[in-house]
Amino acid sequence: MLSSQHLSLGTVTCLVLIFGLCVTSLPTDAEKGRRKVVHVLEDDTGAVIVQTAPGKVITHRGGSITLPCRYHHEPESSDPNRIRIKWTKVTDALVFEDVFVALGLQQRLFGSYRGRVSLEQNGPGDASVIIHNVTLEDYGRYECEVTNDMEDDTGFVNLDLEGVVFPYYPRVGRYKLNYHQAEDVCKEQDAILASHAQLHKAWLDGLDWCNAGWLEDGSVQYPISHPRDQCGRKDTPAGVRNYGYRHKEDERYDAFCFTSNLNGKVYFLKRFKKVNYSEAVKACVRDGSVVAKTGQLYAAWKIQLLDRCEAGWLEDASIRYPIVNPRTRCGGPQPGVRHLGFPDLKFRIYGVYCFRKNEESVNGDVVKSTQGPRKSNKDIPMNTTSTRTI
């Protein structure tokens, strides 16, 4: 078991298959990252049964994670070379993306998973796969299918990522993005469109935002922690407000983006003079870096606990600064990433936040790393802005 993974499993799961088999899983010590214990009760029908984690597995971008899946077949003497294992990713639109297929010793990987996925091979009946160098796009639901001649069964595993959700709108203004444009702006800011589950968790952590934004499933929602008349009436309960699924081409909203762990470091570039946008870009380059993206600043705030009470340029020409420990004259009583808007590019009244990527590894050894130990501020409420426009 990899030390970086954590299993979030249920206590009892019973799967009644075509041939009447039942699986019961015992409680798992999730804190210690132990694999769940599975007891299989089978009859003599010779059916295949697949057991997967009924909850989710959690990692971060750049990490490695095992998607657990085990199978049992009677009789035990079945030829293992006739067992076919197939992993696919399932989207909310029930679109299946091939990930991995194995038949005996023959294996095949697909798309972006090439070179990153392998069988765990932890004894007989193990169909688990390991995903290395996890990306933001790997987030989601996976199906494990095991087939032996005419018998087959499937199970599902949800892969979750540690990270942060942030609302985003471009320089052109509020409610200017259709769904596809929202996808693009999140990618430009080192992020992806957030899922409903990710937005809901962000709301539980304190995210309060009074503008509706696209989510990855094509729905439009927004989180309200403090109900008020300007945001759907003061007498309505707090929660994630949902406009439902909207027309992806014709309707326009903001975006809710999600990003995770950084392969690098965001820092405020110390200078004696303030800079305009073009000077900010050049200053970061001279320092061996690039201007930080919005998603990178949010990740640095949430995961690396970056706290800086100085406003600075970002790559999208916005002005922001991260506050972990609120204090007087630093933008309000709540922690978050303060947003001062999109000023004139010629203004010389701000500093700049730069991003320096970690050096690539050579023969398994990291030449240089600018990122310190990973930290977490899960207990910090996430009021992510000091300005809200209705």
Side-chain angles (χ1 to χ4, degrees), residues 129-146:
V129 292
I130 305 172
I131 302 180
H132 302 277
N133 192 21
V134 171
T135 69
L136 294 176
E137 290 76 15
D138 291 341
Y139 169 87
R141 192 180 194 208
Y142 291 80
E143 177 188 77
C144 174
E145 178 184 29
V146 179

Side-chain angles (χ1 to χ4, degrees), residues 13 22-26 36-42 49 51:
T13 299
C22 180
V23 177
T24 303
S25 60
L26 299 181
K36 75 169 179 174
V37 179
V38 179
H39 288 250
V40 181
L41 308 177
E42 70 275 335
I49 184 169
Q51 308 121 33

Side-chain angles (χ1 to χ4, degrees), residues 207-226:
L207 179 60
D208 183 282
W209 190 252
C210 197
N211 290 84
W214 291 103
L215 297 182
E216 57 89 21
D217 63 356
S219 66
V220 173
Q221 306 183 35
Y222 64 101
I224 294 297
S225 298
H226 307 288

Side-chain angles (χ1 to χ4, degrees), residues 58-338:
I58 304 174
T59 186
H60 56 83
R61 177 167 56 177
S64 295
I65 189 70
T66 297
L67 303 185
C69 178
R70 298 192 66 84
Y71 64 91
H72 185 85
H73 189 274
E74 287 290 337
E76 293 290 355
S77 59
S78 297
D79 184 358
N81 290 324
R82 299 177 67 89
I83 297 208
R84 178 177 179 265
I85 299 169
K86 182 177 182 181
W87 280 89
T88 55
K89 186 179 181 183
V90 188
T91 70
D92 288 337
L94 293 181
V95 175
F96 291 80
E97 176 186 0
D98 290 336
V99 174
F100 174 89
V101 175
L103 179 60
L105 298 177
Q106 299 181 356
Q107 300 181 6
R108 183 179 178 185
L109 288 92
F110 299 86
S112 64
Y113 296 96
R114 289 191 179 98
R116 297 194 299 120
V117 175
S118 60
L119 278 175
E120 186 177 49
Q121 297 180 319
N122 187 18
D126 186 12
S128 306
V129 292
I130 305 172
I131 302 180
H132 302 277
N133 192 21
V134 171
T135 69
L136 294 176
E137 290 76 15
D138 291 341
Y139 169 87
R141 192 180 194 208
Y142 291 80
E143 177 188 77
C144 174
E145 178 184 29
V146 179
T147 305
N148 188 346
D149 295 328
M150 297 299 292
E151 308 295 345
D152 66 84
D153 188 29
T154 61
F156 294 89
V157 181
N158 292 312
L159 172 57
D160 198 4
L161 298 179
E162 298 171 345
V164 57
V165 172
F166 60 95
Y168 189 82
Y169 64 93
R171 189 178 186 86
V172 293
R174 301 276 192 179
Y175 287 9
K176 300 293 185 181
L177 305 171
N178 66 25
Y179 174 82
H180 306 292
Q181 292 168 335
E183 278 189 312
D184 291 341
V185 298
C186 286
K187 289 180 181 179
E188 290 168 1
Q189 299 309 315
D190 193 42
I192 58 174
L193 277 176
S195 69
H196 168 74
Q198 289 168 337
L199 183 64
H200 185 264
K201 183 179 183 301
W203 169 72
L204 292 175
D205 289 342
L207 179 60
D208 183 282
W209 190 252
C210 197
N211 290 84
W214 291 103
L215 297 182
E216 57 89 21
D217 63 356
S219 66
V220 173
Q221 306 183 35
Y222 64 101
I224 294 297
S225 298
H226 307 288
R228 46 207 185 273
D229 288 337
Q230 311 96 300
C231 301
R233 296 174 53 185
K234 188 175 182 179
D235 57 355
T236 56
V240 178
R241 310 286 167 78
N242 193 339
Y243 286 5
Y245 298 100
R246 314 307 297 181
H247 195 285
K248 291 185 176 181
E249 284 76 27
D250 294 345
E251 298 192 50
R252 283 168 167 74
Y253 300 93
D254 293 342
F256 285 102
C257 305
F258 173 84
T259 192
S260 185
N261 188 53
L262 287 169
N263 180 29
K265 178 182 180 180
V266 173
Y267 61 98
F268 185 81
L269 184 60
K270 296 180 180 179
R271 292 178 55 87
F272 294 109
K273 296 181 180 180
K274 303 299 183 182
V275 292
N276 62 31
Y277 180 75
S278 63
E279 292 169 340
V281 172
K282 294 175 183 177
C284 287
V285 171
R286 284 196 298 269
D287 202 51
S289 306
V290 295
V291 180
K293 297 176 182 291
T294 301
Q296 292 168 339
L297 183 65
Y298 270 93
W301 164 74
K302 181 70 173 180
I303 299 170
Q304 298 176 355
L305 302 184
L306 180 62
D307 185 294
R308 189 85 186 194
C309 192
E310 293 184 77
W313 292 101
L314 293 183
E315 187 267 348
D316 65 346
S318 66
I319 299 295
R320 306 176 196 254
Y321 62 101
I323 296 297
V324 174
N325 302 302
R327 51 221 186 259
T328 305
R329 290 188 286 185
C330 284
Q334 298 294 329
V337 175
R338 317 295 192 215

